[in-house]
Amino acid sequence: MTKDAYSLADEAAAALRSAAGLDTFDVALVMGSGWVPAADAIGETVREIPFTDLPSFRAPAVAGHGGKIRVVRTSSGRHALIFLGRTHLYEGLGVDAVVHGVRTAAAAGVRTLVLTNAAGGLRPETQNVGDPVLISDHINLTGDNPITGTTFIDLTEVYSRRLRALVREIEPALAEGVYVAFRGPTYETPAEIRMLRTLGGDMVGMSTVLEGIAAREAGLEVLGISLVTNPGAGLSGEPLNHEEVLEVGRATAARMGVLLAKVVDRL
Ligand code: HPA
């Protein structure tokens, strides 16, 4: 019999604890495209563990996704697991691979998860490139789900109201929005962007929602933050490209890093 995804996460968590030299961790952060440079501000690096040293992890396929877990001690003495990069559904490895990091973090004792991503902005009237936006809810258009069977998980509050309020104590003007995920890897068509605006979406990307669902299944409290790296296709007249996404991440890394460091210290 092949092992199920949850047992594989238990195995990876045991390997992670041993490689990190720690029994438990206070928080995990997943750094999406453009967010990797912000990781440096969160705390002092205790260890860096390549994904490929841990069972059932894959090296990320995408440029700008680092491919390791950094164990960090924050200024208040908390221990954070920072995932420098993630696996995306469009890589074709299946949904269990996409959420393996989240399940591993949960199995290693994490109770709070911060999911970051780069996103196209669907509301250029109010959003600027380089703005962080708190994810208030999501629309999952990936066509997939990390849960199979009769596990009916409540998704009324995937992204914790309490954590959003905590971030707003630090940055009161931060906007909130609904994140829509497609499978990718193509960017959207202008017609799809118009559809998503009508559906009530505020940001669009190719990640986060499946991890958010797996995290809620595991009982984690989730904070989601998008970095708006471009207006959605057709909204600006410019073609979209991944290099632009990474460039906005580099340009805003210091601000995002300070924000995340403050959030982690207040958890
Ligand atoms: N669409 C999908 N994913 C993205 C975008 C976008 O416009 N920008 C950054 N990631």
Side-chain angles (χ1 to χ4, degrees):
M1 193 181 105
T2 56
K3 286 196 195 143
D4 68 50
Y6 303 89
S7 313
L8 294 174
D10 285 340
E11 278 179 15
L16 174 60
R17 284 185 167 119
S18 141
L22 291 166
D23 270 346
T24 193
F25 307 90
D26 299 293
V27 56
L29 300 96
V30 179
M31 308 305 269
S33 301
W35 283 82
V36 171
D40 295 343
I42 296 169
E44 170 204 337
T45 300
V46 178
R47 287 280 148 87
E48 284 198 334
I49 305 156
F51 284 159
T52 45
D53 283 5
L54 299 174
S56 315
F57 272 87
R58 306 293 193 97
V62 191
H65 287 256
K68 53 195 171 189
I69 300 177
R70 184 181 291 172
V71 183
V72 159
R73 193 196 334 270
T74 70
S75 58
S76 66
R78 293 184 168 100
H79 285 109
L81 288 172
I82 307 182
F83 288 79
L84 299 171
R86 56 157 53 96
T87 297
H88 293 82
L89 194 61
Y90 58 68
E91 292 172 48
L93 301 171
V95 67
D96 284 335
V98 172
V99 301
H100 182 58
V102 169
R103 286 185 175 148
T104 298
V110 163
R111 307 312 312 153
T112 309
L113 177 70
V114 181
L115 295 171
T116 67
N117 61 48
L122 299 172
R123 308 282 163 196
E125 319 81 80
T126 54
Q127 294 165 337
N128 294 309
V129 166
D131 279 352
V133 181
L134 291 172
I135 302 176
S136 57
D137 202 349
H138 77 219
I139 299 176
N140 176 10
L141 298 182
T142 66
D144 217 328
N145 194 301
I147 305 171
T148 301
T150 51
T151 309
F152 302 109
I153 301 291
D154 174 59
L155 297 183
T156 306
E157 192 179 320
V158 179
Y159 306 93
S160 159
R161 199 175 283 281
R162 186 185 80 84
L163 294 180
R164 277 181 274 148
L166 187 142
V167 177
R168 267 211 236 79
E169 286 173 15
I170 302 165
E171 280 216 30
L174 223 59
E176 288 195 352
V178 173
Y179 176 84
V180 189
F182 276 125
R183 174 188 181 277
T186 49
Y187 291 111
E188 299 70 38
T189 63
E192 286 165 345
I193 293 294
R194 287 193 297 276
M195 172 186 82
L196 299 184
R197 281 166 57 89
T198 305
L199 290 180
D202 299 299
M203 299 84 79
V204 60
M206 309 176 194
S207 69
T208 304
V209 300
L210 301 170
E211 292 150 290
I213 293 169
R216 294 305 298 144
E217 181 189 25
L220 306 189
E221 194 174 12
V222 182
L223 174 68
I225 314 180
S226 289
L227 174 66
V228 175
T229 56
N230 55 276
L235 296 178
S236 75
E238 297 292 321
L240 273 44
N241 69 81
H242 186 60
E243 189 42 46
E244 161 190 52
V245 171
L246 298 183
E247 183 47 44
V248 174
R250 282 190 286 270
T252 56
R255 179 179 171 207
M256 298 311 145
V258 168
L259 176 64
L260 290 179
K262 287 185 183 163
V263 169
V264 166
D265 263 335
R266 285 184 187 215
L267 289 173

